[in-house]
Amino acid sequence: QVQLVQSGGGLVQAGGSLRLSCAASGRTFGSNLMGWFRRAPGKEREFVAAIRWRDSSTYYADSVKGRFTVSRDNAKNTVYLHMNSLKPEDTAVYYCASSTYLFSRATADFGSWGQGTQVTVSP
């Protein structure tokens, strides 16, 4: 099992930036892919971005492409989500997650989850 601890998030005005971090520990050798998801009030959890540990291949939802960047630091077993040009519709609880798949956008394919962190973007 992989343990994930998130940090970052908070309140920011529209157009601002935030960075989320996700530190992995435990059986990290079984993790191939790290994903970021979010759940807005009254909505289902949705895929935001993902990065593969082995080659840093990245994937983004259309809604964040060009504004969000996912990166990783293998030495620290940490993944980051850099969020720029934030919009009120980005307001949500953000989760990082670990998967043994090489790529997936499906929540069911991610077996370990962080505790979630609130991001609030004011108009």
Side-chain angles (χ1 to χ4, degrees):
Q1 190 78 354
V2 178
Q3 288 81 47
L4 302 174
V5 177
Q6 296 179 224
S7 59
L11 173 65
V12 66
Q13 287 188 325
S17 299
L18 284 173
R19 187 185 79 166
L20 306 182
S21 300
C22 176
S25 62
R27 297 172 67 87
T28 57
F29 60 86
S31 173
N32 287 314
L33 184 74
M34 294 293 293
W36 287 95
F37 293 79
R38 66 186 181 188
R39 176 177 283 165
K43 294 187 177 181
E44 296 290 320
R45 190 175 301 191
E46 65 174 359
F47 172 82
V48 174
I51 186 167
R52 248 189 338 234
W53 285 111
R54 65 179 64 182
D55 60 7
S56 290
S57 294
T58 56
Y59 311 91
Y60 297 94
D62 288 343
S63 59
V64 306
K65 201 172 294 184
R67 300 187 298 121
F68 291 12
T69 302
V70 59
S71 65
R72 60 137 173 74
D73 184 331
N74 282 28
K76 297 181 178 179
N77 279 345
T78 300
V79 173
Y80 305 95
L81 184 67
H82 308 264
M83 303 182 292
N84 298 316
S85 301
L86 282 161
K87 305 175 181 180
E89 51 263 44
D90 294 318
T91 295
V93 177
Y94 284 70
Y95 300 88
C96 65
S98 172
S99 175
T100 58
Y101 286 75
L102 290 178
F103 174 69
S104 176
R105 296 172 182 254
T107 57
D109 292 337
F110 289 78
S112 298
W113 291 81
Q115 78 276 20
T117 185
Q118 178 70 45
V119 171
T120 302
V121 185
S122 62

